Amino acid sequence: MQTYFECQESIHYQQGHHVPTIIETIANKYISTNPPSGFTFRTIHPDTCKQMEDGRSDLNLNTSFPESPLGSYGYAYAMVYSNQETVTELSLSCYGPARIFVNGSLFYRSTMADDVNVNHHKLLNVPLKRGWNAFFITLIKTSSGFGCRFGSSNSKWFPIHFLSPFQERTGMGGWVYALGNVPHDYTDRTVPAVDSLEVETDLDWFPRLQESTSNSSLSTLFGAHYGKLAYAWSSVYLDEDSDNLLHLQGTSDGTIQLWVDHELVVTSEHGAFDVTLTLSAGKHDIVIESTCSEKSWNYHVFAEMNSTSLDFRLPVDIKGMRSPWLYLGPLDEAIEKPASIRTLYRFEPQENVYWKSAEGYSVRPYLENELFAKWNYPLGVTLYGLLQAGRELGRADILAYVTRHIDACTQLYAYAKWDRDTYGYPAINHQLVELNMLDDCGSFGSAMLEAYETNKNPTYLTIAHTIADYIMNTQERKENGVFYRQRDGEYQTNTLWADDLYMSTPFLTRYYKHTGDIRCVDEAARQFLLFKPYLYIPELQAMSHVYDFKYETATYVPWGRGNGWVIFSLSELLAVLPQDHSKRPELIQFFRQLAEGYLKLQGVNGLWHQVLTDPTSYEETSCTAMFIYAFSRGIRYGWLDEIAPYKKSIASGWEALTKIAIDATGNIYGVCRGSGYSFTPAYYKEELGWILNDTHGIGIVMLSGIEFLKLQTRHSYK
């Protein structure tokens, strides 16, 4: 028997067969480990080095220093934070010679093969320490170019955010770069520290820092735009021991309006204003709407408490901010409820404007959490599991957590597309924005639509329309209409994956439920029957993981989770497919065939194996959970004829999960990590290991428990 912990440490030892407590423990563990902390907001200079479509930074110093002579030296510097000691794969492409120092030590010197081909990707496995890691690159200008392209080798799954070094730029995003007039032969001892003072180096670093302007200089910030509007946002804090009389006074060259919290307190066409307010102790937001006049766009505002000047304060946490005011503009039209702009989760897509600092730096959200506020397919099924757990347990707080996660991903969708266009690659929600394969949209979109059932957030449906259009009209298909992965130039070029039935059909079924678009459920049904001839192994009644059109053959490896995706997704389709649908009988027959095959392949301990036909491969948690889920639904919905063997299989599988794969605190063991594919079972057995608390399995385990519970409490056994 596979052992991950002592038997008395299992959740079964602590909770026995009390399924609701087990589900609740798993949900609590996940949420406590991944609190809803959202994005990190930072300032970034508008002249920072842009990113490329693959997410790497384009450190092309020819753009910044076009007149520099051949042989010039250049330098690029940034830092990366890691919350653990790890190794990350980075990709380097060179315009010319480059040397990379990591944490002060020379890590890599480019070779002749690197220097003569900027399209060559040199992959570097770079060790990161816990905390800040410094990346210092020295560059030489040649006739081929000056600089390099550098960053994550797989930004879609492992994005890396490079932040500015030096004390003067603390908290800012982006690289800094400099030109050397003489060679700087940096060594391990002479690379400047990331927390050193920029002014103490002997180089002129770009982009140059700007001087802070006053809180009134909209003309400096935006230029003169007669008739346009802009908004300023700050706050004051009132001491609870004061008499809470806030005195605001100032002057304006044009029309301004001023709100304190939600109350409009000043309307001034021109000249001076003066107002005194009685307010409670604590933080109070100040919002100013200013209209540009013919001559200028300036105003001044001051705050006093008991005849003592009161400092304005930054109303929200933004790293790298030097002034207490945020600015939004210029805009053609006034915002309907100006007080409502007091959030960083707002974007004006018609005007393409977002918040700026007084120095003219842009505010940019970064996804620096490991999981919360991220959009990817494993998190789609995780959130689906949490959503159903919250409903089954009557836990409004779990439902609220799921909503907060999905809201974080969807509220700034329009911004994320603008962010991509502005900086070259988005810093948030990049998989949804990139949207070039089913992995990017179907799973998370399905969870989003499931959440839409209760919260009716119109933004969810708007994004769902985009996803449906992609799946129905853009996703690559073979001549017969079957989904496949074209992915030119990648290892998976011209392949069809069992996984993609999950990445597409559950979304299509939910989209049908909410829109009534029968074409989507027709397409979901059609895809199952199109996939079957490519992947189905009749003698096993199981599925190959992948069909490779390059060789016109299936891999004939029955990978556990790949098979789990298929029957899991088929159960999702059958649950909503109209009873009179022409393909329903054939799909139910397919479900029964798969169920019979998987039933025979269950391991002696109750778990299914990583390679379903190899009992020496490890017992895998996520496929076990999906088979339990599908079998339970097959009984409840009446898709299976003989239910006794499936009841026994479900009970055995669930008990094995709780004894072998889930510990008493809700940790999930034995979940296979995200996969590639191979024609040999050895890859799945020996290279494709498991990860503790991997999101490919957490939600699925909760869902299997919920279906097992429903089977126990709501099914009338025959």
Side-chain angles (χ1 to χ4, degrees):
M1 177 183 291
Q2 179 84 46
T3 56
Y4 297 109
F5 40 75
E6 298 295 330
C7 65
Q8 62 268 25
E9 297 174 3
S10 73
I11 201 162
H12 184 275
Y13 189 88
Q14 298 291 332
Q15 304 296 341
H17 294 283
H18 196 255
V19 180
T21 303
I22 294 171
I23 297 168
E24 190 166 35
T25 302
I26 297 169
N28 289 342
K29 175 70 177 182
Y30 179 85
I31 293 172
S32 65
T33 305
N34 301 284
S37 49
F39 301 124
T40 300
F41 293 85
R42 300 182 178 278
T43 57
I44 185 168
H45 198 288
D47 295 330
T48 190
C49 293
K50 299 299 188 285
Q51 291 175 267
M52 303 170 62
E53 286 187 3
D54 62 8
R56 295 183 300 162
S57 299
D58 188 17
L59 305 173
N60 187 352
L61 299 193
N62 260 344
T63 302
S64 303
F65 309 113
E67 303 302 321
S68 59
L70 295 179
S72 296
Y73 283 74
Y75 312 94
Y77 201 9
M79 57 186 187
V80 170
Y81 189 84
S82 178
N83 57 14
Q84 61 182 338
E85 187 175 310
T86 187
V87 175
T88 188
E89 186 179 79
L90 302 181
S91 172
L92 171 70
S93 299
C94 296
Y95 295 109
R99 290 192 300 170
I100 299 175
F101 292 81
V102 179
N103 293 325
S105 296
L106 180 62
F107 182 80
Y108 183 75
R109 184 194 302 266
S110 64
T111 67
M112 177 186 69
D114 302 323
D115 297 346
V116 299
N117 185 1
V118 72
N119 294 315
H120 172 66
H121 287 247
K122 176 63 180 179
L123 299 181
L124 305 172
N125 289 313
V126 181
L128 300 181
K129 65 182 181 180
R130 183 179 181 184
W132 290 110
N133 295 266
F135 287 84
F136 187 86
I137 304 177
T138 67
L139 305 156
I140 301 175
K141 183 170 183 176
T142 66
S143 57
S144 65
F146 190 16
C148 66
R149 300 168 178 175
F150 188 65
S152 173
S153 64
N154 186 355
S155 292
K156 173 176 278 192
W157 283 98
F158 305 105
I160 293 179
H161 302 303
F162 290 100
L163 307 179
S164 300
F166 302 129
Q167 289 186 30
E168 296 94 328
R169 301 177 190 254
T170 299
M172 295 184 68
W175 289 80
V176 298
Y177 49 94
L179 183 68
N181 295 322
V182 295
H184 284 68
D185 189 19
Y186 281 102
T187 67
D188 294 355
R189 297 186 305 277
T190 58
V191 172
V194 292
D195 58 353
S196 61
L197 288 170
E198 178 179 331
V199 295
E200 293 179 355
T201 70
D202 57 354
L203 294 171
D204 186 14
W205 292 95
F206 292 81
R208 287 197 174 107
L209 291 170
Q210 304 297 316
E211 293 293 330
S212 295
T213 61
S214 69
N215 66 23
S216 60
S217 187
L218 296 179
S219 296
T220 301
L221 190 59
F222 298 123
H225 298 281
Y226 175 62
K228 295 228 175 192
L229 298 98
Y231 292 87
W233 177 27
S234 188
S235 67
V236 292
Y237 285 76
L238 305 187
D239 193 323
E240 61 183 355
D241 296 328
S242 72
D243 58 7
N244 299 332
L245 291 176
L246 175 65
H247 183 204
L248 295 171
Q249 59 179 330
T251 60
S252 169
D253 295 338
T255 300
I256 72 164
Q257 296 190 92
L258 186 151
W259 287 259
V260 176
D261 299 327
H262 289 282
E263 183 181 358
L264 177 63
V265 298
V266 170
T267 297
S268 174
E269 296 291 335
H270 179 76
F273 59 87
D274 193 320
V275 62
T276 299
L277 307 168
T278 301
L279 300 172
S280 61
K283 174 179 177 282
H284 294 276
D285 282 6
I286 310 295
V287 172
I288 294 174
E289 178 190 274
S290 175
T291 304
C292 186
S293 68
E294 292 185 13
K295 295 183 178 180
S296 96
W297 204 356
N298 297 328
Y299 65 86
H300 299 274
V301 60
F302 307 95
E304 289 184 351
M305 176 68 66
N306 297 329
S307 301
T308 301
S309 178
L310 196 63
D311 290 332
F312 291 102
R313 299 190 187 183
L314 192 65
V316 285
D317 181 29
I318 300 174
K319 314 299 182 186
M321 283 288 291
R322 304 293 183 264
S323 68
W325 287 89
L326 285 165
Y327 298 92
L328 187 69
L331 300 169
D332 289 326
E333 297 181 0
I335 294 173
E336 184 178 353
K337 296 180 180 179
S340 69
I341 71 168
R342 299 177 300 154
T343 175
L344 297 176
Y345 287 85
R346 180 191 180 105
F347 177 64
E348 301 299 325
Q350 294 81 12
E351 309 276 4
N352 284 330
V353 298
Y354 192 61
W355 294 106
K356 292 181 179 293
S357 72
E359 299 85 4
Y361 305 145
S362 299
V363 176
R364 191 184 190 195
Y366 289 82
L367 180 56
E368 297 179 0
N369 295 307
E370 183 179 359
L371 296 178
F372 188 83
K374 181 176 286 189
W375 175 295
N376 65 29
Y377 82 78
L379 281 168
V381 73
T382 301
L383 295 175
Y384 180 31
L386 286 169
L387 191 62
Q388 298 293 53
R391 289 170 177 169
E392 188 67 26
L393 300 170
R395 287 276 302 273
D397 59 321
I398 296 178
L399 300 178
Y401 175 88
V402 174
T403 296
R404 288 184 67 179
H405 185 133
I406 298 174
D407 283 352
C409 293
T410 56
Q411 282 177 310
L412 286 177
Y413 174 54
Y415 168 83
K417 292 189 291 184
W418 177 81
D419 186 282
R420 172 201 60 200
D421 296 340
T422 301
Y423 301 106
Y425 193 80
I428 60 172
N429 304 345
H430 49 277
Q431 292 195 12
L432 175 62
V433 175
E434 193 166 338
L435 194 51
N436 59 18
M437 63 188 303
L438 292 169
D439 278 6
D440 297 336
C441 59
S443 172
F444 201 103
S446 178
M448 179 184 69
L449 282 178
E450 186 66 27
Y452 179 77
E453 285 192 8
T454 52
N455 65 24
K456 301 301 180 186
N457 186 328
T459 303
Y460 293 8
L461 203 56
T462 299
I463 293 174
H465 294 328
T466 299
I467 295 172
D469 180 69
Y470 171 81
I471 294 176
M472 296 293 288
N473 301 314
T474 305
Q475 164 62 29
E476 299 106 336
R477 301 165 184 260
K478 286 294 185 180
E479 292 78 4
N480 62 356
V482 70
F483 296 148
Y484 84 114
R485 303 186 182 191
Q486 182 174 327
R487 314 305 293 168
D488 292 336
E490 300 182 14
Y491 78 93
Q492 57 186 310
T493 299
N494 205 10
T495 54
L496 178 151
W497 295 51
D499 314 47
D500 284 346
L501 285 172
Y502 172 71
M503 306 304 165
S504 56
T505 55
F507 172 84
L508 292 173
T509 62
R510 286 186 171 81
Y511 190 77
Y512 159 69
K513 281 179 61 178
H514 292 298
T515 66
D517 189 344
I518 192 65
R519 296 175 305 140
C520 290
V521 77
D522 287 344
E523 183 64 25
R526 186 166 77 109
Q527 288 300 324
F528 274 97
L529 300 178
L530 286 171
F531 267 64
K532 185 178 180 182
Y534 292 105
L535 300 179
Y536 187 61
I537 309 172
E539 62 271 24
L540 295 177
Q541 293 179 256
M543 303 285 275
S544 296
H545 181 203
V546 168
Y547 188 94
D548 195 325
F549 292 101
K550 295 187 294 296
Y551 305 102
E552 289 297 344
T553 182
T555 58
Y556 291 101
V557 180
W559 176 46
R561 188 160 65 234
N563 280 269
W565 288 133
V566 175
I567 197 166
F568 177 96
S569 302
L570 186 51
S571 77
E572 296 280 285
L573 172 59
L574 290 174
V576 301
L577 192 68
Q579 292 295 320
D580 60 353
H581 195 280
S582 62
K583 291 184 172 59
R584 186 174 181 85
E586 191 175 357
L587 289 169
I588 289 179
Q589 180 61 24
F590 187 23
F591 183 91
R592 290 171 178 168
Q593 289 172 331
L594 291 172
E596 289 172 5
Y598 301 147
L599 185 66
K600 297 172 188 175
L601 293 168
Q602 187 170 17
V604 295
N605 297 320
L607 299 172
W608 279 262
H609 289 269
Q610 166 76 340
V611 179
L612 293 177
T613 52
D614 184 355
T616 66
S617 64
Y618 66 88
E619 294 169 314
E620 205 280 323
T621 298
S622 65
C623 72
T624 297
M626 284 195 276
F627 295 145
I628 292 170
Y629 180 88
F631 289 179
S632 299
R633 295 189 121 203
I635 294 173
R636 285 205 302 116
Y637 284 98
W639 305 325
L640 296 171
D641 290 329
E642 289 188 62
I643 66 172
Y646 293 102
K647 287 168 52 183
K648 182 178 179 180
S649 172
I650 292 163
S652 174
W654 178 254
E655 184 163 327
L657 282 178
T658 60
K659 285 183 175 180
I660 299 172
I662 311 171
D663 72 18
T665 61
N667 290 304
I668 308 288
Y669 296 74
V671 177
C672 174
R673 65 177 174 85
S675 78
Y677 80 102
S678 175
F679 288 91
T680 171
Y683 163 75
Y684 298 88
K685 178 180 177 179
E686 299 167 10
E687 297 181 45
L688 201 55
W690 65 271
I691 296 177
L692 180 66
N693 290 327
D694 190 272
T695 49
H696 289 87
I698 294 171
I700 295 168
V701 169
M702 286 187 285
L703 289 167
S704 69
I706 291 165
E707 283 299 327
F708 180 51
L709 182 62
K710 289 179 178 179
L711 192 62
Q712 289 178 313
T713 59
R714 301 171 202 176
H715 179 70
S716 177
Y717 290 98
K718 297 179 182 177

